[in-house]
Amino acid sequence: MNTASFLARLSTLAAAGAIEPVDLHFARALAGWADDGVDANVLSAAVLVSHLAGSGHVCADLAVAAEQPLAFDGECSAPSFARWREGLLGSGLCADGENENAPSHPLVLDGHRLYLARHWLNECFVAAELARRVALPLPLDEARLEAALNTFFDPDDVATAGQRQATALAARRRVALISGGPGTGKTTTLAALLALALEQQPDLRILLAAPTGKAAARMQESIRNARKRLPLAEDVAAVIPDEARTLHRLLGFGSGTGRPRYRRDHPLPVDLLVVDEASMVDLALMARVLEALPPRARLVLLGDRDQLASVEAGAVFADLCLSATEGGALAAGYGQLSHSFRFGDDAGIGRLARALREGDADATIALLCAEQADLQWDPVPDAERLISSALAGYGDYLDSIRAGSDAATLHQCFGRFRLLAAHRGGSWGVVRLNAAIERSLAVKLGHDPRQPWYAGRPVMVTANDYALGLFNGDIGIAAPDTDGELRIWFESEARAGLRGIAPHSLPPFEAAWALTVHKSQGSEFDAVLLALPDQPSPLVTCELVYTGVTRARKRVALWGAETVLRDACQRRIVRYSGLCERLREV
C-alpha cells in the first residue's frame, strides 16, 4: 500500500471510530515531514504507537506486532521487524534510542520498542533518577531505629510482621515502595515510618500528596486516625503532617502555562515526599514529581500494585514493584503488605478480592454463589431492577435531600454508597445509568426535570480548572447557601469545610450518581454496586473487577453474568513499557 492509500484508509478508520483523530493527524503530519514522502510502513508504526499510547501503553513492541494484523486495522498486516526497523531508522523521523540521549525526532526506536519521543524521554529519566536516588546513602542511628520499631510493632506479633518489615525497609532507603490491598495497614505503616524519620531528623520537611482530591482527603483522615493508634511521643505526634494535596496542586500547575511551578530549577521545599494511591500516577506525572524533588530528597510511594493502572500512559507503580520483586535496584526498599486488618478470614469481600487478584474464576464464582453476608450477586442483571437497587442504595442520601440537609451532611451521606460501572458508554455505561437515575429522581424528589439543577445533585468535574482550583474527578454536590442561592459544594484541601461554586462557573462536568471504576479510584464507600456489561469486554479485566470490589468497606453487590466474570478473570492488563528493563540496566 502506498502512502496516499494508507492515509485514505486511516481517514476511513477515523470516521468509523477505530482510531482517534489525533492518530490520523499525527500520520498526516509525519507524511508531510519529508519532501520525498514517507513509506507507508513507517506511518503504520507511527499510528500504532500513537494508537497504543491512547490505551495507556508507553511504547509499541514491534517484535510482537511484526507480521501480525495491525492493532488498529485488522485487515492490514505489519511488515517484518527487520523491515520496520530499516524503514524507521532511515526515514529521518525516528531516532535510535540505543545511540542517542536527546532525540530531535518525533519517534524513538529503542531495541524492539518504538516510542513517542516524549514517552521515551520520560521513561529514561524516571529510571535513571530513581536509580540515582536509591544509590545515595541515608545516615541513620540504627540502635534508635530498632528501638522505635519495637515500640510501634511487637516483634512477636504475626499480624503486624509485614508492617514492621515494610517500615524498617522504607526507613533505611531514600526511595521506598509499599504495596498492599485495602485494609492491610498502609497508613499505619506510613505513620510509623514518618515517626521514625522525624526521630532521626526532627526538622525533616515532609509533604503528603495523592493523585486526586478524594484520595488526598482520605489520606489526611487516615493519617490522623493512625496518629491516635500508635504509641507516639508527644513531640513527634505534634509534627507528623496530616495535610495532603493533589499532585497537581503540589507541583503548582497553573492555568495556561503548561508547566508546573516546581521543577528542577525551582524544587519543592521538601526532604521527604509521600505519594498515596501511586498506582494512579502515570509516567509523565511521575517524571514531573521526580524533577521537582530536591536532589537528596526521599520518596515514598504507597499503593496497590493489583489495582487498575493510571488512565494516561504507563503502569509505573506496578512496573516499579515488579522490578523490586525481581531483585532490581528498588528491591531493598520494597514492602508488600498482605495481612488484612479490615476483612477477617471469613469475610466475603476479602476472599473475593484474593480470588480476583489471583485470576481464579472458579473461586470467584463459588464465593458469589455462597451465602456471604457482605456479598450479593445477580447473574442475570436487568436494567430496570439495577436502577431500583441503586436508588435503594442511595436511600439515606435521598432522605437527607428531602430533609433539606446542609452540604456537609449531604457529602457525608453521599460517600456511603456508589454505583460503579466498567464503561462510560453503552447500555450499561455511566452515561445511561446517570440519565436513568435522574429521570427516576425527578419523580421521587419532585423537581422539574427540565431544570438541570436541584438540591442534592452530585456532579463530577471532568476537566482541570486551575483558576477555580477544581480538578478532573472532583465531586461537588448542589445545595443552597445561607442566602438560599444554589451552589455546588466541593471539599476544600486548603481549609476545613466546603467551598461553594456558582453552577454557571463550573468547568465541564457530568452527573455522578454512577461512576466508572477508573474514576472511583482513591475513594472508598461503605457499600458498592458494581454493574458489569452484559457481554465480555476488553475493558472488563481482572484488575477492573478487583478495583471495583475493593472500593467497598462493608458490602458489595455485583451485577454481571457468569460468562462476563469468567472472561474478566482471564484478562490481565498488559501495558507495553521498558521501565523494568531500564531499572535492571542502570
Side-chain angles (χ1 to χ4, degrees):
M1 185 181 297
N2 62 34
T3 301
S5 298
F6 183 75
L7 290 175
R9 176 64 180 166
L10 289 181
S11 296
T12 301
L13 292 172
I19 62 173
E20 296 297 324
V22 67
D23 303 328
L24 175 61
H25 296 325
F26 186 50
R28 286 174 172 170
L30 294 184
W33 195 289
D35 294 335
D36 55 351
V38 177
D39 183 76
N41 283 329
V42 172
L43 292 182
S44 72
V47 174
L48 176 63
V49 72
S50 176
H51 176 72
L52 290 177
S55 299
H57 299 276
V58 174
C59 59
D61 191 324
L62 298 190
V64 172
E67 301 181 70
Q68 300 296 320
L70 291 167
F72 58 88
D73 185 1
E75 295 182 13
C76 296
S77 292
S80 67
F81 173 66
R83 187 175 175 186
W84 240 345
R85 176 181 173 81
E86 180 183 5
L88 283 163
L89 295 181
S91 67
L93 301 172
C94 184
D96 185 347
E98 295 181 348
N99 299 319
E100 191 164 351
N101 294 322
S104 57
H105 307 71
L107 299 170
V108 179
L109 182 62
D110 196 334
H112 52 88
R113 297 186 180 93
L114 181 67
Y115 294 80
L116 298 175
R118 67 180 185 275
H119 288 165
W120 184 81
L121 288 167
N122 282 333
E123 187 177 273
C124 290
F125 173 75
V126 167
E129 185 63 11
L130 287 173
R132 185 192 67 78
R133 291 178 185 273
V134 166
L136 294 174
L138 182 63
L140 291 171
D141 183 333
E142 284 288 345
R144 191 172 187 179
L145 178 63
E146 282 296 323
L149 280 170
N150 291 335
T151 300
F152 298 143
F153 304 108
D154 183 348
D156 298 322
D157 187 349
V158 176
T160 62
Q163 289 177 297
R164 178 190 170 93
Q165 181 183 30
T167 304
L169 290 172
R172 294 180 169 95
R173 294 292 179 268
R174 290 194 182 271
V175 177
L177 312 170
I178 299 175
S179 177
T184 55
K186 291 192 295 293
T187 308
T188 300
T189 302
L190 171 60
L193 172 61
L194 296 180
L196 292 175
L198 287 165
E199 286 188 355
Q200 298 278 333
Q201 186 181 339
D203 60 347
L204 193 72
R205 299 171 300 170
I206 300 172
L207 291 175
L208 308 178
T212 67
K214 194 66 178 178
R218 279 189 52 237
M219 188 183 191
Q220 291 178 168
E221 181 183 2
S222 298
I223 287 286
R224 290 166 186 164
N225 292 334
R227 279 194 316 198
K228 298 174 184 177
R229 291 194 301 268
L230 287 172
L232 300 172
E234 289 187 11
D235 58 332
V236 173
V239 292
I240 290 181
D242 59 4
E243 292 185 6
R245 285 173 276 180
T246 64
L247 284 169
H248 279 82
R249 289 185 175 102
L250 179 79
L251 295 175
F253 279 95
S255 178
T257 67
R259 299 182 67 197
R261 176 187 177 193
Y262 293 102
R263 48 191 185 269
R264 187 187 300 275
D265 57 353
H266 182 53
L268 285 163
V270 64
D271 301 307
L272 171 57
L273 173 64
V274 180
V275 179
D276 198 9
E277 296 290 348
S279 63
M280 300 170 65
V281 180
D282 60 79
L283 178 64
L285 185 54
M286 183 62 72
R288 302 295 81 76
V289 168
L290 290 169
E291 280 182 342
L293 278 182
R296 301 186 67 83
R298 297 165 63 180
L299 176 66
V300 176
L301 302 177
L302 292 93
D304 183 349
R305 61 180 294 180
D306 297 305
Q307 271 190 201
L308 283 168
S310 57
V311 175
E312 302 299 328
V316 178
F317 187 68
D319 281 348
L320 298 182
C321 291
L322 177 60
S323 171
T325 59
E326 293 178 345
L330 300 172
Y334 173 66
Q336 175 69 48
L337 303 177
S338 56
H339 178 83
S340 177
F341 296 91
R342 177 181 302 172
F343 306 119
D345 292 339
D346 296 328
I349 296 176
R351 295 171 65 194
L352 180 59
R354 286 194 296 274
L356 289 167
R357 190 169 58 238
E358 295 166 4
D360 190 333
D362 290 338
T364 295
I365 300 302
L367 275 168
L368 293 172
C369 289
E371 294 184 0
Q372 296 280 338
D374 55 348
L375 293 180
Q376 175 194 342
W377 180 36
D378 192 323
V380 189
D382 171 82
E384 186 174 340
R385 287 191 297 106
L386 174 66
I387 298 302
S388 296
S389 294
L391 292 175
Y394 284 120
D396 289 345
Y397 181 64
L398 299 181
D399 288 342
S400 294
I401 296 174
R402 295 187 187 98
S405 299
D406 60 20
T409 302
L410 291 177
H411 263 282
Q412 184 179 18
C413 291
F414 186 62
R416 294 173 186 161
F417 170 82
R418 201 58 41 91
L419 170 62
L420 303 180
H423 293 167
R424 174 175 168 75
S427 57
W428 294 88
V430 296
V431 173
R432 289 195 181 183
L433 293 176
N434 276 315
I437 288 175
E438 295 211 300
R439 285 194 299 270
S440 297
L441 289 177
V443 176
K444 289 182 175 293
L445 297 178
H447 67 80
D448 186 345
R450 294 171 296 180
Q451 298 298 320
W453 291 107
Y454 54 89
R457 187 189 190 199
V459 296
M460 172 177 279
V461 172
T462 58
N464 295 338
D465 188 317
Y466 296 102
L468 286 176
L470 293 177
F471 292 83
N472 190 349
D474 286 352
I475 296 284
I477 292 178
D481 61 14
T482 54
D483 296 324
E485 293 292 327
L486 201 70
R487 293 285 186 266
I488 316 305
W489 299 89
F490 293 86
E491 293 178 332
S492 174
E493 293 176 31
R495 56 188 182 276
L498 305 172
R499 59 193 181 105
I501 306 292
H504 66 268
S505 298
L506 290 179
F509 64 89
E510 58 189 27
W513 294 102
L515 301 180
T516 62
V517 174
H518 267 290
K519 289 291 189 180
S520 75
Q521 285 184 271
S523 299
E524 288 185 356
F525 314 96
D526 287 344
V528 161
L529 195 168
L530 174 58
L532 301 179
D534 54 356
Q535 298 294 327
S537 162
L539 294 180
V540 182
T541 62
C542 201
E543 292 88 349
L544 182 136
V545 181
Y546 168 85
T547 302
V549 165
T550 55
R551 297 310 89 202
R553 289 185 286 254
K554 297 179 180 178
R555 296 183 307 281
V556 169
L558 183 57
W559 289 48
E562 180 175 342
T563 54
V564 174
L565 279 168
R566 288 190 175 276
D567 183 77
C569 287
Q570 303 307 312
R571 289 183 186 271
R572 290 281 183 181
I573 293 177
V574 176
R575 287 198 168 177
Y576 295 125
S577 160
L579 188 55
C580 283
E581 186 172 318
R582 292 190 196 283
L583 286 167
R584 286 195 295 267
E585 294 172 350
V586 292

